[in-house]
């Protein structure tokens, strides 16, 4: 080779590894002669490395012999815990040893970060360059087994390619859960063969509120789209190859107007004329909820049969059924709903919702899956095996964990990335409270005072990105990054208590990480504020002052 480009001696790894140390002796250089030797169970990482480093750095990585000089060796060693890995860059070779195939994959993500920001491009910009790495040993593994991002593709549709790209972005941050919010009042995004109107009717709306719901502006461009069943299969396979679990979310019994617009019999027909409903074109909590009838239960069993077929248990052990923000007014006024309450001997409408959720918990459990829902599913009683996404604060999560339910901590006060990142006037369509990069960095998924038994039920954490004012991929990027990088470190790295976290050191590493995000083409919010094209002057948001009220 003609030239050697140092990867870096200050690798600015994000998320920070558990241990990283320089070791005596020579490091290694990756160049056109570097081989790749993949042991049993590492074929997906082998393919990923060859595709990624081949594309970015022009390294062909021909097959090699494990442990030979000038070789990247991938191996599984079950002595290491799941998802853990060891990475050695010594004596002219690289060795990645994982506790399981996922651990090997996370080690490969670290190797890519060590190779410099150019390793995140789609074509070599220094075709002749070799990459030198110092002699290092990294020993690493995650704090939590659930490290995720929820993307709302219902309020604004994200085309399939954008979803695949987000899976790559999750993988680059060692995040392993993609929560796929597929249905809501404003759109139904997954093809269900036996109910074609869900997408024929339910995936389109004629116009869309532009900004917060109090805004006077409308975007009159029809909006919509959906994933075909083959698109879903591709997304699931792409996630699986990256050791990412997918949690499909089908909302019941609230947030269902798109489904009711497609099949009016799903709504409370004895209260309103559901045949007049259209896919909702504005935002908020919608009164039009599912009718608690046997026909509705059968309909959603039919939906879920196809969902389970598309999302196999290995990738999707959990199925999310929503359960949040279901106003009970129509049920109070509906003779049919009241008759159902009487027939079942229930106390009130909360118990009716609980009955609805329990039905699907039993149904999913019988099929080897686990139900997860937003913390409202605790109201009226929650069945044993169900898990909770704690969004309204820590309180629901604490109550659920103390009662022995598994919990994913995602309180809106901390990790809702649709909330504005800065208090300045240039923030596009600013929503709710200011949640800075530092706020997210100081989030702890384990609230103080949780008993050890309850803490063991906290599976981990995820950030949520609701898309009412995120109209496209650039808007999603702006809200999600850089804060997702902080969430990734919170979920993966063994950080001290929030007040003791060294945010300055994280910020210093972020300066290296911004270069990676740029190489990846992520339209993140720059530390200095939005670029002119990222602003949305004159489009109303709904900023709220002060710190978010904690619950
Ligand atoms: C939610 O934010 N309604 C879960």
């Amino acid at each position: 080779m003609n030239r050697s480009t140092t990867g870096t001696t200050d690798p600015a790894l994000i998320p920070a590894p558990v241990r990283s140390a320089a070791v005596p002796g020579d490091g290694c250089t990756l160049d056109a002669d570097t081989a790749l030797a993949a042991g049993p169970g590492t074929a997906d990482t082998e393919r990923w490395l060859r595709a990624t480093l081949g594309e970015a750095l022009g390294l062909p990585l021909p097959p090699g012999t494990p442990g030979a000089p000038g070789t990247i060796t991938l191996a599984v060693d079950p002595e290491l815990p799941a998802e853990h890995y060891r990475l050695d860059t010594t004596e002219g070779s690289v060795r990645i040893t994982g506790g399981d195939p996922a651990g090997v994959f996370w080690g490969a993500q670290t190797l890519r970060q060590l190779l410099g920001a150019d390793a995140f491009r789609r074509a070599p910009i220094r075709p002749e360059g070799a990459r030198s790495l110092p002699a290092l040993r990294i020993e690493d593994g995650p704090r939590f087994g659930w490290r995720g991002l929820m993307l709302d593709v219902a309020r604004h549709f994200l085309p399939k390619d954008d979803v695949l790209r987000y899976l790559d972005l999750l993988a680059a941050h060692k995040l392993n859960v993609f929560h796929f919010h597929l249905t809501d009042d404003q759109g139904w995004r997954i093809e269900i063969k036996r109910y074609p109107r869900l997408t024929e009717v339910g995936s389109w709306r004629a116009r869309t509120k532009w900004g917060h719901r109090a805004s006077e502006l409308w975007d009159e461009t029809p909006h919509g789209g959906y994933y075909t069943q083959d698109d879903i299969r591709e997304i699931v396979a792409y996630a699986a190859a990256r050791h990412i679990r997918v949690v499909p979310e089908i909302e019941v019994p609230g947030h269902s107007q798109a489904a009711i617009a497609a099949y009016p019999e799903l709504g409370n027909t004895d209260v309103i004329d559901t045949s007049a409903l259209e896919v909702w074109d504005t935002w908020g909590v919608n009164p039009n909820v599912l009718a608690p009838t046997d026909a509705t239960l059968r309909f959603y069993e039919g939906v879920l049969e196809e969902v389970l077929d598309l999302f196999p248990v290995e990738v999707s052990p959990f199925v999310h059924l929503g359960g949040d923000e279901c106003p009970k007014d129509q049920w109070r006024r509906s003779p049919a709903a009241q008759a159902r309450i009487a027939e079942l001997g229930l106390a009130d409408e909360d118990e009716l919702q609980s009955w609805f959720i329990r039905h699907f918990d039993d149904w999913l459990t019988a099929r080897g899956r686990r139900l997860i829902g937003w913390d409202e599913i605790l109201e009226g009683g929650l069945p044993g095996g169900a898990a909770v996404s704690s969004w309204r604060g820590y309180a629901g999560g604490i109550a659920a964990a103390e009662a022995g339910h598994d919990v994913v901590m995602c309180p809106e006060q901390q990790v809702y990335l649709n909330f504005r990142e800065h208090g300045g006037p240039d923030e596009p369509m600013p929503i709710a409270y200011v949640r800075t990069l530092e706020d997210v960095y100081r989030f702890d998924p384990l609230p103080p005072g949780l008993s050890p038994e309850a803490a063991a039920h906290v599976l981990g954490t995820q950030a949520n990105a609701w898309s009412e004012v995120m109209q496209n991929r650039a808007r999603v990027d702006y809200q999600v990054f850089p804060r997702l990088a902080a969430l990734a470190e919170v979920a993966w790295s063994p950080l001290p208590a929030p007040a003791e976290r060294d945010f300055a050191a994280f910020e210093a590493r972020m300066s290296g990480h911004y270069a990676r995000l740029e190489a990846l083409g992520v339209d993140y919010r720059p530390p200095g504020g939005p670029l002119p094209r990222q602003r949305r002057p004159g489009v109303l948001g709904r900023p709220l002052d002060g710190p978010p009220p904690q619950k």
Side-chain angles (χ1 to χ4, degrees):
M1 63 253 39
N2 315 327
R3 203 171 95 185
S4 172
T5 311
T6 298
T8 174
T9 48
D10 171 18
L13 295 173
I14 295 213
V18 175
R19 266 182 297 283
S20 168
V23 293
D26 293 335
C28 63
T29 299
L30 304 192
D31 61 24
D33 298 325
T34 300
L36 180 57
T42 69
D44 47 9
T45 300
E46 176 190 24
R47 269 193 297 278
W48 181 86
L49 273 173
R50 205 166 270 138
T52 309
L53 299 187
E55 201 172 71
L57 304 177
L59 301 178
L61 299 177
T65 310
T71 301
I72 301 172
T73 300
L74 308 178
V76 172
D77 175 0
E79 298 277 299
L80 287 174
E83 293 203 279
H84 286 235
Y85 70 89
R86 202 167 47 232
L87 171 64
D88 293 294
T89 56
T90 45
E91 308 301 336
S93 61
V94 175
R95 184 172 187 92
I96 299 175
T97 311
D100 59 2
V104 176
F105 185 68
W106 305 133
Q109 295 296 333
T110 297
L111 174 63
R112 188 194 196 186
Q113 290 202 358
L114 290 173
L115 289 167
D118 294 351
F120 291 77
R121 293 188 181 274
R122 300 283 279 272
I125 58 172
R126 296 185 188 86
E128 78 283 15
R131 300 271 151 171
S132 294
L133 294 172
L136 286 175
R137 162 162 278 204
I138 295 176
E139 291 169 294
D140 201 10
R143 180 176 176 205
F144 291 106
W146 184 300
R147 308 178 301 277
L149 173 67
M150 186 217 72
L151 281 183
D152 167 12
V153 297
R155 270 51 177 271
H156 282 99
F157 178 62
L158 266 192
K160 181 201 73 182
D161 266 4
D162 293 341
V163 173
L164 300 178
R165 171 178 172 274
Y166 257 87
L167 292 170
D168 280 326
L169 292 173
L170 294 189
H173 292 84
K174 301 190 175 77
L175 294 167
N176 68 346
V177 175
F178 173 52
H179 176 165
F180 203 8
H181 183 78
L182 283 163
T183 73
D184 216 300
D185 300 303
Q186 296 85 356
W188 183 285
R189 306 284 174 228
I190 175 172
E191 178 186 28
I192 300 295
K193 299 269 192 206
R194 76 188 78 178
Y195 306 126
R197 284 174 60 83
L198 286 172
T199 44
E200 283 166 15
V201 174
S203 77
W204 297 98
R205 57 180 186 255
R207 61 171 193 170
T208 302
K209 177 62 66 177
W210 178 225
H212 181 259
R213 65 176 171 273
S215 160
E216 311 248 299
L217 304 176
W218 294 93
D219 180 347
E220 299 288 346
T221 313
H223 178 84
Y226 65 90
Y227 310 102
T228 66
Q229 295 207 339
D230 280 348
D231 290 341
I232 296 282
R233 289 188 182 95
E234 182 183 359
I235 288 166
V236 165
Y238 200 84
R242 285 154 184 77
H243 300 277
I244 295 172
R245 277 174 283 150
V246 183
V247 181
E249 182 178 354
I250 305 292
E251 274 263 15
V252 294
H255 286 288
S256 297
Q257 183 161 319
I260 299 169
Y263 292 94
E265 63 272 26
L266 294 173
N268 292 288
T269 53
D270 54 353
V271 179
I272 60 157
D273 176 10
T274 56
S275 67
L277 290 177
E278 296 182 339
V279 176
W280 210 21
D281 54 14
T282 188
W283 322 122
V285 176
N286 188 306
N288 299 308
V289 305
L290 297 177
T293 61
D294 288 335
T296 302
L297 299 183
R298 295 292 93 71
F299 183 97
Y300 275 87
E301 288 171 6
V303 169
L304 289 173
E305 273 172 24
E306 295 192 27
V307 166
L308 296 198
D309 184 49
L310 292 169
F311 295 88
V313 66
E314 307 78 51
V315 183
S316 303
F318 285 93
V319 174
H320 206 294
L321 291 190
D324 59 317
E325 297 179 323
C326 177
K328 306 296 187 305
D329 182 59
Q330 289 187 351
W331 289 355
R332 275 190 277 276
R333 293 194 286 132
S334 159
Q338 290 302 316
R340 174 120 285 192
I341 287 176
E343 168 204 332
L344 295 168
L346 303 176
D348 56 18
E349 292 75 19
D350 277 349
E351 286 198 1
L352 187 58
Q353 158 141 347
S354 177
W355 165 82
F356 203 100
I357 296 293
R358 273 174 202 272
H359 173 85
F360 287 107
D361 182 63
D362 289 343
W363 192 92
L364 286 170
T365 302
R367 286 155 184 79
R369 306 295 179 109
R370 290 185 62 193
L371 182 149
I372 184 165
W374 302 109
D375 53 69
E376 286 94 329
I377 68 170
L378 288 163
E379 293 161 10
L382 181 62
V388 168
S389 310
S390 188
W391 75 275
R392 291 181 294 179
Y394 280 125
I398 293 171
E402 297 285 0
H405 294 287
D406 287 341
V407 170
V408 176
M409 282 293 185
C410 49
E412 60 173 344
Q413 295 84 351
Q414 317 261 18
V415 290
Y416 267 34
L417 300 185
N418 43 306
F419 285 17
R420 62 196 172 127
E421 190 179 332
H422 192 271
D426 289 335
E427 224 43 39
M429 296 177 273
I431 297 298
Y433 301 98
V434 174
R435 298 282 80 196
T436 63
L437 183 64
E438 180 165 359
D439 291 328
V440 176
Y441 194 65
R442 294 196 193 281
F443 165 61
D444 202 297
L446 294 183
L450 204 60
S451 71
E453 298 76 36
H457 282 292
V458 177
L459 302 175
T461 183
Q462 65 180 43
N464 296 333
W466 300 100
S467 64
E468 289 91 338
V469 299
M470 291 156 41
Q471 291 81 4
N472 52 41
R473 161 183 141 170
R475 285 285 303 127
V476 177
D477 279 4
Y478 181 88
Q479 294 300 134
V480 168
F481 288 101
R483 291 179 291 181
L484 192 67
L487 188 278
E489 186 144 314
V490 162
W492 178 280
S493 308
L495 299 179
E500 282 137 45
R501 291 180 189 170
D502 189 346
F503 179 67
F506 175 73
E507 249 186 332
R509 276 184 289 121
M510 276 306 291
S511 64
H513 197 63
Y514 284 122
R516 296 182 191 121
L517 296 179
E518 243 148 65
L520 283 165
V522 175
D523 211 2
Y524 63 87
R525 182 189 186 281
L531 304 173
R533 66 180 160 74
Q534 293 174 320
R535 296 178 194 148
R536 296 291 182 273
V539 187
L540 194 70
R542 185 171 178 254
L544 298 171
D545 290 333
Q550 300 294 321
K551 285 185 209 145

